[in-house]
Amino acid sequence: MSSTSQKHRNFVAEPMGEKPVTDLAGVGEVLGKRLEVAGFDKAYTVLGQFLVLKKEKELFQEWLKDTCNANSKQSSDCYQCLKDWCDEFL
């Protein structure tokens, strides 16, 4: 995790609880709004999709691109954030 953002480190450092989707690394206000419109308003709802897709990087990144038009860096950052959170808490 040496090259992760502060946002990533903050997210992975504690339980998810009711964190908004914009707390996920790679998800800013614009992508957050798009995800909210699609029904993913909390970080745990995106985690649910991540788990449904069996933590598969390519499938998750494709889903994020299709759902909120995330670019490859954004989707990769979000994937890594959720993967590291799962490694820590699941």
Side-chain angles (χ1 to χ4, degrees):
M1 282 188 2
S2 59
S3 65
T4 57
S5 67
Q6 186 63 46
K7 188 175 183 181
H8 176 111
R9 289 187 296 274
N10 289 346
F11 189 86
V12 174
E14 60 189 19
M16 196 173 301
E18 294 287 322
K19 289 182 181 182
V21 71
T22 52
D23 279 7
L24 288 163
V27 179
E29 290 202 25
V30 172
L31 293 186
K33 281 280 186 225
R34 292 175 186 160
L35 283 166
E36 287 175 18
V37 167
F40 297 91
D41 59 334
K42 300 288 185 186
Y44 65 77
T45 60
V46 178
L47 172 66
Q49 187 63 31
F50 176 79
L51 295 173
V52 164
L53 295 172
K54 299 183 179 181
K55 303 185 209 175
E56 293 283 337
K57 184 172 186 172
E58 293 79 18
L59 289 175
F60 179 76
Q61 287 188 264
E62 186 176 316
W63 171 81
L64 205 57
K65 181 182 177 191
D66 292 345
T67 303
C68 65
N69 203 26
N71 65 34
S72 59
K73 166 103 171 76
Q74 292 163 326
S75 62
S76 180
D77 287 352
C78 188
Y79 167 82
Q80 195 61 52
C81 184
L82 288 170
K83 181 184 179 304
D84 290 348
W85 187 91
C86 286
D87 290 347
E88 184 70 27
F89 292 99
L90 293 184

